[in-house]
Amino acid sequence: ELRELGLPMAVALNMEDEAEKRGLRIDAAALERALGVPVAATSALHGKGVRRLMERCLALLAAPGPPPPPPVYTAHIESQVQRLARLLPEPPPGRNGNRRFYAIKAIENPDMVPGEWRPLLAGELAVAGGQIRDFHGLECYETIACERHHLAMKLSEEACRFAPRRTFHLHDRLDRFLLHPLAGRLFMLAYFLAFFAAIYLLGGLFSRWLEPLLARVPPLLAPLRRSAPALWLTLDGVSQGLAGAVGIVLPYLLPLTFIHALFEESGYLSRVAFLLDGLLHRIGLHGKSAAAFILGFGCTAPALYATRILENRRDRFLSALLLPFIPCSARSAVILAVCAALAGPLWALAIYAFTLLVIAAVGRALSLFLPRPSGLVMEIPDLKLPSPRHAAAAGLRQIREFVRTVVPLLLLGSAAMSWLGRIDAGAAIDRALAPVVHGLLGLPAALGTPLAFGFFRKELIVIMAQQALGAASLPLLPLTAAQAVVFLVFVTLYFPCLSTFVVLGREFGWRTAVASALLSFAVATASAWLFKAALAFL
């Protein structure tokens, strides 16, 4: 299809090493002759063949030859293509494609032809479409797809050879284990336990290393308290925000982004989707939604974009309502930091497990009002050893994004909290939210303002809670372990952040965004109240 554009092109025959491991040998020279364009074998993971590919591209740009020959279809279709192409003008400079390309597109989908050209083809296109449908008994777009598939199979037969294998490749043996109904699920559970244990332990270790360094900042600002009270109030708030960003959030975010990037690159994500398909069907979805849900542990906003791979609008809508319940990296940092300070790691696992139960229950309830879910057809790509360098680069991009977009908000929010405390404006917010925060959940009313500011970024909550409750550090927060758990359950579920809310509105409509926000608040309040009642009973 790209050759039909008539533009200079080259083919990167990537993952050739993986093909050979599976007994598939591709003759790059034969493929080049058949396609009529340069073909270079590459292995992007290891950087093999990339230089050769670049050299061939540069040579092609320096001395462009004739355009690649277009594929020739069977006679009755080819005659229709050529007849329609003669009716079209030559495309103007700057518009990709040529007359033949637009003639084929007119047969496949007339909407892809520029509007001013459609009258030129109207009568002839109806005749051509009728003849193709009568001859093949298929719609025109299906006929063209079948033709391309036939040509691709011929190319494959010319350029590819399978070598019989006497043994199963390691990938196949691993997949027999990873996709096993029992062993695969046990491994998946162990993997996720190890995943969160590593983040918890590494985050706590980094936090303890940074704490003495950050403790040196407040004494440096102390002289300003008398000489410049307004400046001190602002800088003190900023320093507390910085301490929260660097000392509380970043230590957990660093291992989370790196390990998550390794996980995505390995190809294990598709196996998890396969294993979760049956479970997700019970709540009205299917395994293809698992990719978005696992991305949600990093950030909910890109996870919402990832629902575009779901073909069914019903599945997209249900996923969009459930994704804000997934503990993203920001909420994970809050959960792990507060649990490390006040409750212990088992409560962190309990909150994650409870969140999954909430998603299952809410999904099951909502699916009662929606049509039945569609079936699952998805590709399981090969497993591959993830590159620590690529994972580090992906993690570094997320950290840069955190520093560029989140840290300024944390500093401003923390400074605002200092001034709100000084002018007592936060008291109005606390009074407005007191019926839920204090009345229903039994938490200090002063946590209302941090929860309100958490709409902008969830990381703000733990930093501003520390300021609102007058604690020098997280372990000194005047909360019991039970209150800390109730607080975290509410924070995990209570409201999508600003970026998630905006993406929801743009992708699914503002009514869906508002419905998601109201649903989250109701579920969070009910869940936190149940935790409070259960802990009080115990």
Side-chain angles (χ1 to χ4, degrees):
E1 189 171 6
L2 288 173
R3 287 165 67 202
E4 289 165 357
L5 281 167
L7 297 174
M9 63 182 290
V11 173
L13 187 63
N14 196 37
M15 296 178 74
E16 191 199 28
D17 52 340
E18 293 294 327
E20 287 189 0
K21 287 177 185 175
R22 293 187 168 273
L24 175 62
R25 294 179 182 172
I26 304 171
D27 186 341
L31 188 60
E32 182 170 313
R33 286 192 300 271
L35 287 171
V37 299
V39 175
T42 61
S43 174
L45 183 63
H46 304 291
K48 293 179 181 177
V50 177
R51 184 184 183 89
R52 173 66 175 157
L53 173 67
M54 291 298 103
E55 288 172 350
R56 300 204 66 181
C57 288
L58 289 170
L60 192 63
L61 290 169
V72 179
Y73 296 113
T74 48
H76 65 284
I77 292 180
E78 186 65 31
S79 62
Q80 301 291 352
V81 170
Q82 292 184 14
R83 187 164 59 83
L84 292 174
R86 286 194 293 269
L87 299 174
L88 291 171
E90 202 61 46
R95 176 175 279 168
N96 287 336
N98 51 36
R99 291 188 299 175
R100 179 186 174 84
F101 170 79
Y102 285 107
I104 295 169
K105 289 302 166 199
I107 296 172
E108 281 188 283
N109 180 6
D111 291 341
M112 295 190 71
V113 178
E116 65 270 21
W117 292 355
R118 290 175 200 167
L120 303 174
L121 300 173
E124 294 296 332
L125 188 57
V127 173
Q131 290 183 10
I132 291 171
R133 278 190 290 270
D134 291 342
F135 193 91
H136 282 271
L138 296 171
E139 290 298 324
C140 294
Y141 71 90
E142 290 181 279
T143 303
I144 298 293
C146 289
E147 286 286 309
R148 290 202 185 104
H149 190 268
H150 169 68
L151 291 170
M153 288 301 294
K154 287 178 66 178
L155 283 171
S156 176
E157 290 169 0
E158 289 177 32
C160 304
R161 294 289 180 272
F162 278 97
R165 293 183 298 161
R166 296 180 180 178
T167 59
F168 281 104
H169 190 266
L170 177 61
H171 287 186
D172 297 318
R173 292 199 294 271
L174 281 173
D175 272 340
R176 284 188 171 187
F177 170 72
L178 294 175
L179 299 176
H180 190 274
L182 178 60
R185 286 187 171 92
L186 289 174
F187 177 83
M188 179 178 67
L189 181 62
Y191 176 86
F192 280 115
L193 286 174
F195 178 79
F196 288 110
I199 296 166
Y200 183 88
L201 294 172
L202 289 171
L205 182 64
F206 294 156
S207 186
R208 286 192 295 274
W209 284 350
L210 291 167
E211 194 174 329
L213 296 173
L214 296 169
R216 297 179 183 179
V217 177
L220 297 176
L221 301 175
L224 294 173
R225 188 164 192 171
R226 290 186 178 180
S227 60
L231 180 61
W232 172 81
L233 194 65
T234 304
L235 292 179
D236 184 59
V238 169
S239 70
Q240 289 188 52
L242 185 65
V246 177
I248 297 173
V249 179
L250 197 60
Y252 294 95
L253 200 60
L254 276 170
L256 178 63
T257 53
F258 178 71
I259 298 173
H260 196 275
L262 284 175
F263 169 64
E264 282 190 70
E265 194 178 342
S266 67
Y268 185 51
L269 183 62
S270 299
R271 277 106 185 132
V272 172
F274 176 83
L275 293 170
L276 292 178
D277 180 54
L279 176 63
L280 288 173
H281 259 293
R282 293 177 184 272
I283 67 172
L285 291 168
H286 57 60
K288 211 166 186 178
S289 305
F293 278 85
I294 291 169
L295 284 174
F297 283 102
C299 181
T300 311
L304 288 168
Y305 287 125
T307 61
R308 292 175 179 177
I309 67 170
L310 303 175
E311 297 85 358
N312 190 297
R313 178 172 173 77
R314 172 240 184 245
D315 294 343
R316 286 197 73 211
F317 174 74
L318 184 55
S319 298
L321 290 180
L322 297 178
L323 275 169
F325 293 119
I326 294 284
C328 62
S329 58
R331 281 180 284 185
S332 291
V334 174
I335 293 167
L336 295 171
V338 174
C339 282
L342 297 171
L346 291 180
W347 277 114
L349 287 175
I351 290 169
Y352 282 113
F354 179 76
T355 302
L356 297 179
L357 287 175
V358 166
I359 292 169
V362 174
R364 182 67 177 170
L366 291 175
S367 65
L368 295 175
F369 304 96
L370 297 170
R372 290 177 61 83
S374 57
L376 170 66
V377 178
M378 68 176 294
E379 181 186 0
I380 304 288
D382 284 344
L383 288 167
K384 61 179 181 179
L385 197 63
S387 164
R389 182 166 59 87
H390 292 170
L396 190 60
R397 281 196 299 272
Q398 291 191 48
I399 296 299
R400 274 203 302 265
E401 184 70 16
F402 171 78
V403 172
R404 187 169 64 249
T405 61
V406 179
V407 170
L409 272 177
L410 293 176
L411 300 184
L412 288 171
S414 191
M417 190 65 189
S418 287
W419 279 98
L420 285 174
R422 178 64 179 269
I423 63 177
D424 209 26
I429 300 174
D430 294 339
R431 281 194 299 272
L433 295 176
V436 174
V437 176
H438 184 64
L440 272 177
L441 306 183
L443 299 171
L447 290 175
T449 303
L451 289 170
F453 272 78
F455 170 65
F456 298 99
R457 285 297 302 191
K458 294 298 184 234
E459 299 95 329
L460 276 170
I461 294 172
V462 68
I463 300 161
M464 296 181 75
Q466 191 175 313
Q467 290 175 269
L469 298 178
S473 62
L474 276 183
L476 298 178
L477 283 174
L479 297 173
T480 64
Q483 284 179 314
V485 171
V486 171
F487 175 64
L488 288 175
V489 169
F490 187 75
V491 167
T492 303
L493 301 171
Y494 87 104
F495 211 78
C497 67
L498 176 61
S499 59
T500 299
F501 189 78
V502 171
V503 172
L504 268 170
R506 288 179 176 172
E507 287 285 300
F508 300 93
W510 295 107
R511 288 173 59 184
T512 301
V514 172
S516 172
L518 294 174
L519 177 68
S520 299
F521 188 81
V523 169
T525 304
S527 300
W529 183 85
L530 284 172
F531 258 79
K532 175 200 167 189
L535 290 170
F537 176 77
L538 292 173

